[in-house]
Amino acid sequence: MADIFSATVIVATLSSGIRLAVPLLLASLGEAFGQRSGVLNLGVDGIMLLGAFGGYFTTLKTQSPWLGLAVGLGVGLVLGLLSSVISVSLLAEQGISGIGVYLFGLGMSDLLFQKLVGTPLPAASFQKSPIPLLSEIPVLGDLFFNHSIPIYLAFLAIPVSTVIINRTRFGMNIRAVGENPEAADSQGISVTRVRYAAVTIGGILAGAAGAVLAIGLGIFQQNLTNAQGFIAIALVYFGAWRPLGVMAGSLVYGMVSAVVLLLKTRGIIPLGASDLAAMIPAVITVLALVVAARRFRAPTALTKPFIRGG
Amino acid sequence: MSNRETSEAAVRRSRLGTHLLSYSVPALAVLGAFAIGAVMLAALGANPFTGFWAMAKGAFGSSGALVETALKSTPLLLVGVGITIAFRANVINIGGEGQMVAGALASTITALGMTDVPAWTALPLALGAGVAGGALWGAIPGTLKAYFGVNEILSTIMLNVVAVQAMNWLLRDPLIDPMEIERGTRIPQTARLPESTDLPLFVEGGRLHIGPVIAVAAAVLVYLLLWRTTSGYRLRAVGLSADAARYAGMSVERNVVWALTLSGAMSGLAGAILVLGSEGHRMVTDGSTIGFTGSAGFNGIVTALFGGLHPLWTIPSSFLFGGLLVGAIALQRAAQVPTALVLALNGLVVLFVVSLDRYRRQLKEREERSVPSIAAAGSEADESDSPPSGEDDDHG
């Protein structure tokens, strides 16, 4: 009982919380790009599932998790483009079209897994890459600087995204088409092109999120994500459409999951109670949605397809 | 004068064209999805024709198959009808999965508590609890949307997550079958529910229970509610134009809550029927919502869209999609193609329907803009007998 409060256990738990947060972080960061441009992509979970299968299968066959991650990114790119065609060019109702992508990804990833793999074989995973010097710091070193490279990259993507969205012309265009597409259009910005780019970035990051999830676990199974893609969408609201906010939300989720996992595996609380505890982040998110709805404003053109002169 | 007549004829013709198109959109969507499905079957090494034939036979080819199809269609129909109510009020309900689980849990708890109650009270109460549980799980996002400005897509999604965790907790701890603890197997499932809450069977020892009949009756009731009562008229009015409805003195907020409550009630009933009509007569979880619902909360969206968001058309639509799910099992046996194929095809149907839908609307708008004076003068009589947005009007 007492040993769960020892420093090693706490560090291990927090560090696993960081790992668990990464798929959510990548997926919700990508979704934030799309939403800032005015497109709600509800298909994230489907893209994650296909990215996860692609990443897992490639890793299984080539023993190279990096190649697996690349395939995950590629799958995300293709599905991101497909989502753009449907939402931006074909002006589909965004609250529904994403469910189509989700069902497609859910079914297709399961189909491919059963046909191509069948039994859940373990695949290679990423090696830990402790950062020299920094990882030597007691406690903090183990916590923050003793992870695999994709995890560092995911956290690096946060400041990079903040700079892209707030400080570059591309980011300005994304915000412009998300807030006032008519005005952006009259300024000569191609609403279509900017939204395609933003939604495709979202797809790539969702594919990466799935691949990191599957390769990190070293396995794939039906519905591997278990609705993480949907949670990622809610985290965008939770994080008020800002990369830093999105990161905070993902970390809360990851940490709570890690603590619940710890309590469960150590048998400290009954199995049932740990399920109850696993409910907490979802409830917090619903409450956060209420607060966010009052305090933060969604991009004005969110879910509204742009028709010139329409 | 003759000039005007020809233009009117042109308008009428174009309108006929768009009407035909609007009827054929769901059919085109399914055809498109099946064409892709055929390619997928071929890629998986199965002959598409024999594959689809095996599916059709497995779903509709015998009385046993039809019974299975009717049973599989039941949750799809109820969820689909619920989705229709929400969409008609311009509210997007992605929470069918969670509402099914909430209804099933409420129904299970009620049934477990009625050991010595005769069937004529126990069964209606257990079903009613399911309706109430689903309604509550719909009323929450409804209230959050109407009075707190929370996007209903987000809140319904998150409530799906809350519902599945609640299910896992309840079935692993407070509601677990005492036998599972005794034996130490700890499978997360309840004890067998009292026999008084079993859905009556049509043939003793058969599989067909009254669930499908309840679902069809619910669909007809929802049709009557939406098109034959003031309350339903208000729901649709709010859906067509919230501003206009508000101007006419209707409470948009109340109608949004009402729409999601009713929508959730339908899914809740679906969940209750899944439990009370299950072969084991108990509720089981594998840890995910899909494990319990079989994705009916999402597939119901497909049936609603294919049924043109009309409760009556959703009846044959759900039968078709229920048939797909049943046929998939035959397909798996005949051609070793996993049943997951159907889920992927359902996704494609959704994508085709929503993509074609906007295209159809745009087409119509463009036609109306190209003949402005006539459209303005000549269409008034035509439009007056149908609600403001003609293309959204019911199929039936």
Side-chain angles (χ1 to χ4, degrees):
Chain A
M1 185 75 206
D3 72 322
I4 71 150
F5 294 111
S6 75
T8 19
V9 174
I10 292 174
V11 169
T13 305
L14 294 179
S15 153
S16 97
I18 290 175
R19 273 197 307 279
L20 291 172
V22 165
L24 283 172
L25 187 154
L26 287 169
S28 48
L29 184 62
E31 178 71 15
F33 270 95
Q35 290 199 13
R36 286 302 278 266
S37 81
V39 182
L40 171 70
N41 181 4
L42 274 186
V44 182
D45 208 47
I47 301 179
M48 277 179 79
L49 280 165
L50 279 168
F53 176 76
Y56 163 79
F57 185 65
T58 311
T59 310
L60 191 66
K61 292 292 158 191
T62 64
Q63 312 301 327
S64 163
W66 286 104
L67 211 55
L69 180 60
V71 168
L73 291 168
V75 169
L77 173 82
V78 172
L79 288 170
L81 275 174
L82 176 80
S83 305
S84 316
V85 172
I86 292 164
S87 300
V88 183
S89 297
L90 297 175
L91 314 165
E93 168 65 56
Q94 293 164 19
I96 312 171
S97 64
I99 297 301
V101 176
Y102 165 63
L103 289 176
F104 177 73
L106 179 65
M108 201 64 191
S109 60
D110 188 20
L111 176 77
L112 290 171
F113 175 69
Q114 289 190 40
K115 255 336 229 194
L116 300 176
V117 189
T119 48
L121 303 166
S125 198
F126 295 107
Q127 298 291 316
K128 272 192 181 178
S129 307
I131 295 177
L133 295 178
L134 289 175
S135 63
E136 313 275 307
I137 307 171
V139 184
L140 294 183
D142 238 13
L143 190 51
F144 295 116
F145 305 111
N146 192 12
H147 291 285
S148 59
I149 292 171
I151 293 181
Y152 302 131
L153 291 179
F155 281 94
L156 193 65
I158 296 293
V160 171
S161 301
T162 306
V163 170
I164 290 177
I165 290 173
N166 294 323
R167 296 264 181 274
T168 66
R169 174 152 291 271
F170 174 59
M172 206 182 74
N173 290 347
I174 289 180
R175 285 180 289 138
V177 302
E179 289 296 339
N180 192 339
E182 288 78 17
D185 184 56
S186 71
Q187 295 290 309
I189 299 169
S190 164
V191 177
T192 306
R193 204 175 300 162
V194 173
R195 286 188 172 171
Y196 260 76
V199 174
T200 306
I201 290 174
I204 293 171
L205 287 172
V212 166
L213 176 70
I215 298 169
L217 291 168
I219 52 141
F220 185 84
Q221 62 183 46
Q222 182 218 15
N223 191 24
L224 178 79
T225 55
N226 205 1
Q228 283 195 43
F230 287 111
I231 293 168
I233 298 167
L235 288 179
V236 175
Y237 286 71
F238 183 103
W241 295 270
R242 298 186 183 97
L244 260 178
V246 159
M247 181 184 80
S250 311
L251 280 173
V252 168
Y253 245 94
M255 290 301 167
V256 175
S257 310
V259 171
V260 169
L261 209 62
L262 170 82
L263 298 178
K264 207 176 191 168
T265 49
R266 301 238 160 183
I268 288 156
I269 53 171
L271 274 177
S274 66
D275 285 313
L276 201 58
M279 215 156 91
I280 295 168
V283 176
I284 293 177
T285 309
V286 175
L287 296 177
L289 287 175
V290 178
V291 179
R294 298 224 153 155
R295 295 198 46 194
F296 307 109
R297 203 177 41 78
T300 315
L302 187 59
T303 75
K304 294 189 187 81
F306 175 68
I307 309 161
R308 184 176 280 163
Chain B
M1 200 60 204
S2 72
N3 190 13
R4 189 188 157 140
E5 266 163 29
T6 48
S7 313
E8 267 181 0
V11 170
R12 211 162 288 142
R13 205 168 39 243
S14 74
R15 202 167 272 146
L16 182 70
T18 44
H19 261 93
L20 278 178
L21 196 59
S22 74
Y23 281 113
S24 54
V25 157
L28 281 174
V30 168
L31 276 180
F34 268 81
I36 294 181
V39 174
M40 277 158 60
L41 279 177
L44 292 167
N47 181 332
F49 293 102
T50 50
F52 283 139
W53 181 241
M55 269 183 109
K57 259 203 336 208
F60 308 110
S62 65
S63 59
L66 286 171
V67 165
E68 290 308 313
T69 297
L71 292 175
K72 266 277 189 266
S73 318
T74 302
L76 298 182
L77 174 55
L78 284 167
V79 174
V81 166
I83 296 287
T84 298
I85 300 171
F87 284 13
R88 285 285 173 178
N90 202 19
V91 185
I92 295 179
N93 181 7
I94 309 291
E97 295 271 306
Q99 290 146 14
M100 281 179 77
V101 169
L105 285 170
S107 182
T108 302
I109 294 170
T110 311
L112 281 171
M114 292 192 296
T115 36
D116 291 321
V117 184
W120 63 270
T121 7
L123 185 62
L125 276 177
L127 287 171
V131 172
L136 172 71
W137 223 243
I140 297 170
T143 309
L144 290 179
K145 179 183 172 67
Y147 299 103
F148 297 91
V150 176
N151 182 316
E152 77 277 19
I153 299 174
L154 272 302
S155 54
T156 50
I157 284 173
M158 289 318 294
L159 284 168
N160 286 345
V161 180
V162 177
V164 67
Q165 305 286 8
M167 169 176 75
N168 290 343
W169 168 60
L170 286 169
L171 294 189
R172 271 185 200 145
D173 208 17
L175 296 183
I176 194 169
D177 184 355
M179 285 297 290
E180 292 295 332
I181 298 179
E182 224 170 87
R183 274 187 257 131
T185 38
R186 295 203 74 104
I187 298 170
Q189 61 180 25
T190 64
R192 193 211 186 282
L193 302 177
E195 279 177 29
S196 57
T197 58
D198 290 358
L199 285 178
L201 298 169
F202 278 100
V203 183
E204 203 53 48
R207 297 253 305 137
L208 186 63
H209 54 62
I210 60 165
V213 179
I214 297 176
V216 170
V220 174
L221 277 179
V222 167
Y223 165 73
L224 293 176
L225 173 90
L226 282 177
W227 275 281
R228 295 284 182 271
T229 68
T230 345
S231 168
Y233 171 76
R234 284 204 200 102
L235 280 186
R236 288 185 298 124
V238 167
L240 288 172
S241 167
D243 287 338
R246 202 188 299 277
Y247 189 72
M250 299 173 196
S251 162
V252 175
E253 288 78 14
R254 216 173 297 153
N255 279 293
V256 164
V257 177
W258 181 224
L260 269 166
T261 306
L262 268 180
S263 184
M266 290 294 142
S267 295
L269 181 57
I273 288 177
L274 267 189
V275 173
L276 303 177
S278 65
E279 271 186 285
H281 297 285
R282 59 177 57 163
M283 191 169 176
V284 191
T285 175
D286 72 345
S288 67
T289 32
I290 295 174
F292 171 69
T293 63
S295 294
F298 289 117
N299 286 335
I301 300 177
V302 192
T303 54
L305 289 176
F306 187 66
L309 294 180
H310 190 289
L312 297 182
W313 282 107
T314 307
I315 300 172
S317 161
S318 65
F319 202 69
L320 177 76
F321 282 94
L324 272 182
L325 294 172
V326 174
I329 301 165
L331 176 67
Q332 181 160 32
R333 249 183 266 126
Q336 285 78 52
V337 175
T339 53
L341 175 76
V342 169
L343 210 51
L345 290 187
N346 279 354
L348 291 175
V349 171
V350 173
L351 292 178
F352 280 119
V353 170
V354 290
S355 301
L356 291 171
D357 183 61
R358 272 299 178 134
Y359 174 72
R360 171 175 62 84
R361 275 192 220 185
Q362 241 191 331
L363 206 75
K364 191 185 157 99
E365 275 163 21
R366 203 174 303 149
E367 270 165 3
E368 279 179 357
R369 224 177 290 146
S370 64
V371 274
S373 58
I374 308 295
S379 68
E380 256 165 42
D382 287 350
E383 299 278 19
S384 60
D385 59 345
S386 62
S389 92
E391 81 280 0
D392 263 343
D393 194 20
D394 52 312
H395 270 31

